[in-house]
Amino acid sequence: MKVAIIGAGWAGCAAAVEATRLGHQVSIFEASRTAGGRARRVMATVAGQQVALDNGQHILIGAYLETLRLMQDLGMDEKTAFLRLPLTMQFPDGSGLKLPRWPAPLDALAGILTAGGWPWADRLSLLKVALGWRLAGFTCPPGQSVSDLCRTLSFGAMVSLIEPLCVSALNTPAERASGQVFLRVMRDALFAKSGGSNLLLPRLDLSNLLPDAALAWLARHGGQTHLGVRVQSLAPAGTGWQVIAADVCHSFDRVVLGCPPNEAARLVQTSPLANSDWTALACGLQHEALATVYVHAAHARLRQPMLALPATATEPAQFVFDRGMLGGPAGLLAFVISASQGDGEMLTRQVLAQAASQLGLTGLQPVQTIVEKRATFACTPGLQRPAGVISAGLLACGDYIAGPYPATLEGAVRSGLDAARQLLMK
């Protein structure tokens, strides 16, 4: 069949590759001139040189099996693309969790028992709560938040581990985050497979990591890519669809919407076969912002590639990355603020003050601050997300589509693969 995929983010790229593998003829349309969606390359000037940054500092984990498998199939070498480390959630003073290279779940057990700076009461409290999660099969009532799950956990373990893990995985604060989704992430990362909790820190920019490789693979296999082309509308045509882009009408047998939920809803509404229930769910999603503050100084160094930071209302960054250790220019740091609030100028000032007070780093120069206001959906308890099938011959994929994972790269890739495998459905 002739298949149109609208959006060259990670979900759209995964759908395009899988659909091509299944024998379909694929055309992919992307409004931006850079593939990757909300995980893409941006260019900046650092110390007078052009440098590839990202629109948000992302990491992957070893449990992202479908994403890693797709990258391997596209010819991406993991050792070139990533620095793989055991899960580490350490703060500038050396306190916090660092898992050994042991099989799961022994690595998590050992990491908790040897966590630096933790009183024994915090370690035992976390072990007791984690054991309770496991005995319950990593399930909980849909209405429970992460804070509800952890109501018997000690304050120290909550602040130094659960809250940073929750906000990094779900981009939603623990008091508003879905306990059900959090438990699924914890199960797959810490208990399902050895290496699942490993951190994979990208050495390449995010577009280079998967989307560029996917589009190059498509070109070699007969696919068509249209970058910088925004789709204006959709219309059913017999058993297929018409896609209007740049005032040109294209005919397809199937259409997959791999664009953000608001854009997908707009396109669905342009069709006479609009699914109002699907559109209402897509438009009803609440969103969380994510900010990345890039700063540089020739002398700036961290003692390891990633550190957790004590976050407050006035010192909001939860993590900092040393991009110099990840293939970038020496002295380039990326501060990440999940579920961020405020504008870029204010966040930059706060991060510079935080770097001075918590890391002892002064003289840092701002490079670029990127605030993705709709970075992820708010992963709240009991949230109903849109389905992947909208109407006959019209599907959607993206990290917001109904599934077990929060708004992650793995969720996006899995959704894209699922959409491609459903193309033959009536």
Side-chain angles (χ1 to χ4, degrees):
M1 294 185 297
K2 291 182 65 179
V3 178
I5 296 177
I6 301 173
W10 287 54
C13 286
V17 170
E18 186 68 7
T20 302
R21 280 182 179 152
L22 294 173
H24 304 303
Q25 183 180 343
V26 170
S27 295
I28 189 166
F29 296 85
E30 168 56 50
S32 171
R33 296 191 178 276
T34 303
R38 285 167 290 122
R40 68 184 185 278
R41 173 176 57 246
V42 296
M43 300 304 296
T45 301
V46 178
Q49 295 185 337
Q50 282 288 101
V51 175
L53 303 179
D54 299 301
N55 69 319
Q57 175 71 52
H58 289 255
I59 63 173
L60 285 77
I61 61 173
Y64 287 6
L65 299 180
E66 294 297 336
T67 304
L68 295 173
R69 185 176 296 118
L70 178 58
M71 287 181 176
Q72 184 179 29
D73 291 345
L74 295 173
M76 187 66 66
D77 176 61
E78 183 189 303
K79 291 184 179 180
T80 301
F82 298 103
L83 173 64
R84 181 185 277 261
L85 300 169
L87 175 63
T88 302
M89 199 70 64
Q90 290 189 311
F91 291 82
D93 62 1
S95 66
L97 191 74
K98 184 175 183 179
L99 270 57
R101 297 182 186 272
W102 290 7
L106 295 177
D107 55 349
L109 176 62
I112 293 170
L113 290 175
T114 60
W118 283 19
W120 274 103
D122 288 347
R123 304 179 200 188
L124 295 176
S125 173
L126 183 57
L127 286 173
K128 182 179 179 180
V129 168
L131 178 61
W133 294 344
R134 190 165 192 184
L135 291 174
F138 292 96
T139 60
C140 71
Q144 281 198 343
S145 69
V146 173
S147 292
D148 293 333
L149 282 177
C150 300
R151 59 186 178 274
T152 61
L153 188 63
S154 70
F155 176 79
M158 186 70 185
V159 169
S160 58
L161 182 64
I162 298 300
E163 288 182 351
L165 279 177
C166 177
V167 79
S168 63
L170 278 64
N171 196 36
T172 306
E175 64 271 15
R176 294 193 285 110
S178 166
Q180 198 172 49
V181 175
F182 181 75
L183 287 177
R184 174 59 185 264
V185 173
M186 291 299 98
R187 188 198 75 178
D188 289 357
L190 291 173
F191 296 94
K193 183 179 183 295
S194 294
S197 63
N198 285 176
L199 301 177
L200 277 71
L201 308 184
R203 300 180 191 268
L204 307 174
D205 68 74
L206 292 173
S207 291
N208 197 2
L209 204 58
L210 184 142
D212 287 352
L215 297 189
W217 185 95
L218 284 173
R220 295 194 300 271
H221 291 80
Q224 300 292 319
T225 299
H226 306 276
L227 296 179
V229 176
R230 186 170 187 253
V231 172
Q232 296 157 291
S233 62
L234 305 174
T239 59
W241 288 83
Q242 289 183 337
V243 174
I244 312 299
D247 296 321
V248 176
C249 181
H250 307 262
S251 296
F252 294 95
D253 300 301
R254 298 285 190 272
V255 174
V256 178
L257 302 179
C259 41
N262 58 317
E263 179 68 1
R266 180 189 71 81
L267 290 172
V268 171
Q269 288 172 325
T270 66
S271 166
L273 298 181
N275 183 329
S276 58
D277 291 339
W278 191 95
T279 302
L281 287 176
C283 291
L285 294 171
Q286 301 299 308
H287 292 85
E288 300 281 359
L290 189 147
T292 305
V293 180
Y294 292 99
V295 298
H296 177 264
H299 63 276
R301 299 287 189 279
L302 302 181
R303 59 183 181 84
Q304 56 194 45
M306 183 191 89
L307 287 174
L309 297 173
T312 66
T314 57
E315 296 186 338
Q318 297 101 350
F319 297 95
V320 58
F321 295 79
D322 190 331
R323 300 274 293 208
M325 295 185 182
L326 299 169
L332 178 63
L333 305 180
F335 289 80
V336 177
I337 308 168
S338 296
S340 65
Q341 297 181 351
D343 59 35
E345 184 178 346
M346 181 189 76
L347 294 172
T348 302
R349 290 197 306 269
Q350 291 178 328
V351 160
L352 291 174
Q354 186 175 6
S357 66
Q358 295 186 8
L359 298 170
L361 292 174
T362 58
L364 297 172
Q365 297 299 312
V367 173
Q368 191 165 351
T369 295
I370 301 172
V371 181
E372 283 281 348
K373 293 184 178 180
R374 301 170 68 91
T376 68
F377 64 87
C379 191
T380 53
L383 176 67
Q384 187 177 359
R385 291 151 61 178
V389 177
I390 303 172
S391 60
L394 181 61
L395 301 96
C397 62
D399 58 15
Y400 69 96
I401 294 298
Y405 289 104
T408 59
L409 297 175
E410 176 74 357
V413 167
R414 288 189 180 219
S415 176
L417 298 175
D418 288 344
R421 292 161 187 167
Q422 297 183 78
L423 287 169
L424 292 176
M425 294 176 61
K426 296 290 185 181

